[in-house]
Amino acid sequence: MTRIGLLTSGGDCQSLNATLRGVAKSLYRIYDNLELIGFEDGYKGLIHGQFRLMKPSDFSGILTIGGTILGTSRQPFKLMKVHDEDGFDRVEAMKVTYHKLGLSCLVILGGNGSQKTANLLSREGLNIVSLPKTIDNDLWGTDMTFGFQSAVDVATNAIDGIHTTAASHGRVFIVEVMGHKAGWLTVHAGIAGGADIILIPEIPYHIDNVVRAINERTQQGKRFSILAVAEGAISAEEASLSKKGLKEKKNAAVVYPSVAYELGAQITELTGHEVRVTVPGHTQRGGAPCPYDRVVATRLGAYAAGLIKQKTYGCMVCVTSGDIAHVPLGEIAGKLKTVDPKSQLIKEAKMVGISFGDE
Ligand code: F6P
């Protein structure tokens, strides 16, 4: 009998279930005598031995359903190696669960922090195959993460929905897009939604340039402007400060709920325009996976099963130039893939007149 563990870790996204299905359906076809163990709520389930025996029927009908049938949670990597006051050792606990269950392999679906823990467990001698999940698309070693395209769809729909009301009222609108410290989601949704200004963490903005871009549109007779602003967008002034300096500045200033509101107040003050802010927030992680994600998820899942069959462990499945491949966890864990300000993507966006607030 072969017993394989599955867990989904970190923030959820639309195609976790589609990926689990891809892995499970392929594994059930490969092994005659297979038990799949589903850990509850990510690494938490592995740490505390909370799991259930999955049935093939658990993976039916879930291709189009967002979220994760296993549940998930954030278990920060930096706390993994820290023992509790009572001496509880999470890494040891995870190893004990793995060995007690006699797992041949553990399949981990997760983003940046989760890949770091996957690498740690691999180094501790567990057989690990991981898959690249996140709406942020910020995982090193893969061109694409599953969940990203579905989130682009949601964020784009949010921008699309703003156009008519922005035009009717002649207002400036800011749509704040998720993405943590990376601007992938904002750039893609911004271009797809026809945003006039896109602000991302990788390209610190000057408020004067943002104001100029808005004023130029007004002078051209355009009644409205739409900004797609990443939740991690930062001004050039703030980017030049040390971590401590930035904290001091934030503490001394008026407290805004997020960057979009702060920017909105500045734009109103400097242009006299009425500004409205829309934050789609966690809706960007919700709903059904888009068809592209369903295909990627299925392919990544099937490929992961193939790796397990070959006993190729300690790696993350990835997308590279349209093909599915794998990379050693040690090469990718802890590295962030951010938008290159000099990339073709940004150059082309600028060519059609999108301002990134940097010039
Ligand atoms: O990593 C996915 C993500 O949605 C980020 O874009 C965002 O910064 C973060 O998770 C939000 O985390 P939480 O769901 O814990 O609030």
Side-chain angles (χ1 to χ4, degrees), residues 74 134-136 178-180 231 282 285:
R74 292 197 184 277
T134 170
I135 64 163
D136 302 340
M178 273 188 170
H180 201 42
E231 61 179 350
H282 286 77
R285 300 215 308 243

